[in-house]
Amino acid sequence: QNVLLGIYLTNVRDAMYGYNMSIYFSMGTDIAQVEGSTTENFRILPTNAYPTTQAEVQQTWESLYTGIYRANDFLEGVSAKINTYSEKDKALATIYMGEARALRAMYYFELVRRYENIPLMTSTQMSNQNPNTFVQADPIDVYKFIEDDLKAAIAVLPATYKVSDTNYGRFTKGLAYTVLMKLYMHEQNWAKAVECGRELMKPEYGYRLMDNYKDIF
């Protein structure tokens, strides 16, 4: 569990959801506004005036791949030992692996939709190769990898957790469905996105449509 939580720990970095992907990268979109007309300081990203060496862009890239490496490392380690576990521990490890695959899928989705042509690292060995040998994957292959990870996670994760549960806030079947739905929307696969949405409206996931969409803002 501690190693698994090390994957989750990646999420709170400033370069991840601690700041860049939750606030900074949203400036200049329909989610957030940025005042002023210059292309200096914090306005450099919202105005698309940044160079390829922009620190925030590089740091977020690095952090996402750190999360992917940690997920790969966790999955390889548990997969190698799971057959030696008791039935109780094997069942728990299966859920943990589902969480790791869902996290890896989420990181890859952030990468491919922001950077488009990215290396697809499916093992720790691939990450340890010389950077000069990295190959950019076809985005279609990355989308398929994300879809497979999320479907595998959905098959083993619990539907949801109560707020009082110690595991509240960790990946669930419901959350994996929401990421999968977002993936299908990004691909403009509307039929599959609707399927995910209808599944999420089942009572066991605890979701509902908002009475007033404007309340989000």
Side-chain angles (χ1 to χ4, degrees):
Q1 177 173 257
N2 288 341
V3 178
L4 175 65
L5 293 179
I7 309 173
Y8 280 101
L9 187 62
T10 316
N11 296 352
V12 300
R13 287 184 172 188
D14 282 353
M16 294 278 285
Y17 302 107
Y19 180 61
N20 283 9
M21 293 196 298
S22 59
I23 299 175
Y24 192 23
F25 289 1
S26 297
M27 293 180 182
T29 71
D30 61 347
I31 296 176
Q33 294 181 348
V34 57
E35 294 182 348
S37 58
T38 66
T39 58
E40 299 172 349
N41 301 322
F42 68 90
R43 297 185 185 89
I44 193 167
L45 256 72
T47 55
N48 294 318
Y50 55 90
T52 56
T53 55
Q54 189 68 27
E56 291 86 353
V57 175
Q58 292 187 351
Q59 289 164 1
T60 295
W61 169 280
E62 184 273 334
S63 293
L64 285 164
Y65 273 111
T66 294
I68 289 167
Y69 182 90
R70 290 178 178 180
N72 285 338
D73 185 51
F74 176 85
L75 290 165
E76 289 169 7
V78 175
S79 295
K81 298 180 180 179
I82 193 169
N83 289 329
T84 67
Y85 295 167
S86 67
E87 289 304 312
K88 180 180 178 180
D89 286 346
K90 188 180 293 185
L92 187 60
T94 300
I95 294 175
Y96 285 177
M97 291 176 72
E99 290 184 62
R101 292 191 70 169
L103 285 163
R104 182 172 65 177
M106 184 173 69
Y107 299 151
Y108 266 123
F109 183 51
E110 295 286 9
L111 277 165
V112 72
R113 72 190 185 94
R114 296 177 188 278
Y115 300 90
E116 190 172 3
N117 297 106
I118 62 170
L120 183 60
M121 303 296 185
T122 59
S123 68
T124 54
Q125 183 179 7
M126 292 179 69
S127 297
N128 289 325
Q129 65 182 298
N130 190 307
N132 292 330
T133 65
F134 289 167
V135 177
Q136 292 181 341
D138 187 320
I140 293 176
D141 294 333
V142 180
Y143 293 139
K144 182 63 170 62
F145 186 81
I146 295 168
E147 181 183 31
D148 290 345
D149 259 357
L150 289 171
K151 285 184 174 179
I154 287 169
V156 299
L157 292 177
T160 189
Y161 290 116
K162 295 180 180 179
V163 177
S164 57
D165 290 338
T166 55
N167 289 334
Y168 182 73
R170 285 163 62 168
F171 246 102
T172 60
K173 192 188 301 288
L175 179 54
Y177 262 121
T178 65
V179 179
L180 183 59
M181 180 170 63
K182 195 171 182 178
L183 172 70
Y184 288 145
M185 292 174 67
H186 183 75
E187 294 181 289
Q188 298 186 5
N189 190 333
W190 308 119
K192 287 189 176 181
V194 168
E195 287 179 15
C196 290
R198 286 176 175 161
E199 176 67 25
L200 282 167
M201 294 308 295
K202 292 180 179 179
E204 58 261 38
Y205 299 113
Y207 294 100
R208 65 177 178 84
L209 293 175
M210 295 187 67
D211 296 327
N212 183 8
Y213 182 71
K214 290 183 179 180
D215 289 342
I216 294 176
F217 302 95

